[in-house]
Amino acid sequence: MEICITSLLREKGFKVTPQRLAIYKMLAATKSHPNAEMIFNELQSMYPTMSLATVYKTMEILKEIGLVQVLNAGEDSFRYDADTSNHPHVRCIECGQVDDVQNIDSAAFVDQVAQGTKYHLIGQQFYFYGICPRCQTKELN
Amino acid sequence: MEICITSLLREKGFKVTPQRLAIYKMLAATKSHPNAEMIFNELQSMYPTMSLATVYKTMEILKEIGLVQVLNAGEDSFRYDADTSNHPHVRCIECGQVDDVQNIDSAAFVDQVAQGTKYHLIGQQFYFYGICPRCQTKELN
DNA sequence: ATTGTTGCAAACTATTTGCAAGGCG
DNA sequence: CGCCTTGCAAATAGTTTGCAACAAT
């Protein structure tokens, strides 16, 4: 995994820096789909000089070399996911957490859209909204 | 349709103003899924004192009373749609236009997700990306 | 008459950019 | 060593808010 990002950066002509490794490592280790500020906050203790701008610049590169995907779950900021497989996401409208939706077969649905539109389709994003298990139990108060 | 927005506003305790009618009428008459600035620009000739802030405030209300839905197709601004039925959208990565995807049956797909997640699902948004017919022909140059 | 709304300007937030100092190759 | 990257600060863009004048009920 570290090998992967290191060689990928070099291949594409980007330099390998501690900041880039740290950002990618942190993202790959979480399932929380953090936005830039969350990533920045989490890395600040380890890298006291880390800047938000570097997080943004790094995400731009990681997106470009295919190591992260950018999520736009209807919020005011972008979230990032080191799992670049094309899977749906679901956001809790109470607490705001974003989870993966696993083991979904969207092929039939995508095919249907591919046929129904005259676009040359390249990708897609599926976002669901609802109340997460934890917030459901909270609401029993 | 005008009757609808007028009575709906009154029912919910909002006042009926020319600006609100104009904004909704314009949105209901287009398929272009405009963002706030596009709406503002188009209305400025007819309503020279119209302000962007009023567009935003109005969209907030129209969303609240269920007359518009807000789209977040991976851009830096929100788009608005007076068609509140839950249909997918497709955006051209060349020219940026956003189109509806019509006649799609997503029930099976949604059911699959509803069962696969422990969320209490409330809604969803499907976004596709690709190259629109017009840009496909342009690319032949 | 009362209360909500408009529209300007200022505030705010997320993101991007310019640039000098520093680090990777 | 040369060039890319960092990180600060300033700039930008979309959206929201405060408030005084105004309009709908």
Side-chain angles (χ1 to χ4, degrees):
Chain A
M1 185 166 280
E2 293 245 339
I3 294 170
C4 175
I5 178 176
T6 298
S7 50
L8 250 178
L9 282 171
R10 287 221 181 87
E11 266 175 42
K12 306 275 183 171
F14 297 108
K15 290 190 173 168
V16 178
T17 68
Q19 290 91 336
R20 287 174 184 171
L21 294 179
I23 290 169
Y24 179 70
K25 197 172 159 190
M26 180 269 178
L27 191 63
T30 183
K31 291 190 168 188
S32 69
H33 309 92
N35 60 25
E37 196 165 7
M38 296 169 183
I39 295 171
F40 170 66
N41 287 334
E42 182 143 346
L43 292 178
Q44 230 176 359
S45 49
M46 197 87 79
Y47 296 81
T49 71
M50 170 74 67
S51 99
L52 245 187
T54 297
V55 175
Y56 281 112
K57 287 168 183 168
T58 297
M59 298 321 298
E60 186 63 31
I61 290 174
L62 293 180
K63 174 177 64 176
E64 198 176 323
I65 66 181
L67 281 181
V68 310
Q69 66 174 310
V70 181
L71 308 183
N72 207 320
E75 302 168 293
D76 44 5
S77 63
F78 293 98
R79 288 170 176 262
Y80 302 95
D81 192 343
D83 175 359
T84 56
S85 72
N86 207 300
H87 55 287
H89 293 89
V90 55
R91 178 164 61 88
C92 178
I93 60 175
E94 286 292 329
C95 68
Q97 79 175 64
V98 173
D99 284 318
D100 296 305
V101 178
Q102 306 281 12
N103 304 317
I104 293 299
D105 176 23
S106 61
F109 179 60
V110 172
D111 282 352
Q112 208 187 144
V113 173
Q115 289 171 19
T117 175
K118 295 190 172 57
Y119 274 64
H120 169 42
L121 291 185
I122 290 173
Q124 69 273 343
Q125 289 286 342
F126 303 138
Y127 297 106
F128 290 82
Y129 306 96
I131 303 183
C132 72
R134 198 178 326 174
C135 287
Q136 283 174 45
T137 61
K138 270 188 218 154
E139 282 179 355
L140 299 179
N141 300 344
Chain B
M1 187 164 277
E2 293 244 338
I3 294 171
C4 174
I5 177 177
T6 298
S7 49
L8 250 178
L9 282 170
R10 287 223 179 86
E11 266 175 40
K12 306 274 185 172
F14 297 108
K15 289 185 174 170
V16 178
T17 69
Q19 290 91 336
R20 286 173 185 173
L21 294 179
I23 289 169
Y24 180 70
K25 197 173 158 190
M26 179 270 178
L27 191 63
T30 183
K31 290 190 168 187
S32 70
H33 310 90
N35 60 25
E37 195 164 7
M38 296 168 183
I39 296 171
F40 170 67
N41 288 334
E42 182 142 344
L43 292 177
Q44 230 176 359
S45 49
M46 196 87 80
Y47 296 81
T49 70
M50 171 74 69
S51 98
L52 244 187
T54 297
V55 175
Y56 281 111
K57 286 169 184 167
T58 297
M59 298 321 298
E60 186 63 30
I61 291 174
L62 293 180
K63 174 178 64 176
E64 197 175 323
I65 66 181
L67 281 180
V68 311
Q69 65 173 310
V70 181
L71 308 183
N72 207 323
E75 301 168 294
D76 43 6
S77 62
F78 293 97
R79 288 170 177 262
Y80 302 95
D81 191 342
D83 176 357
T84 56
S85 73
N86 207 301
H87 56 286
H89 293 89
V90 56
R91 177 164 62 88
C92 178
I93 60 175
E94 286 292 330
C95 67
Q97 80 175 63
V98 173
D99 285 318
D100 296 304
V101 179
Q102 306 281 12
N103 304 317
I104 293 298
D105 177 23
S106 60
F109 179 59
V110 173
D111 281 353
Q112 208 187 144
V113 173
Q115 288 170 21
T117 175
K118 295 190 173 55
Y119 274 64
H120 169 42
L121 291 185
I122 289 174
Q124 69 273 344
Q125 290 286 343
F126 303 139
Y127 297 106
F128 291 82
Y129 306 95
I131 303 184
C132 73
R134 197 177 328 174
C135 287
Q136 283 174 46
T137 62
K138 271 188 219 154
E139 283 180 355
L140 299 179
N141 299 343

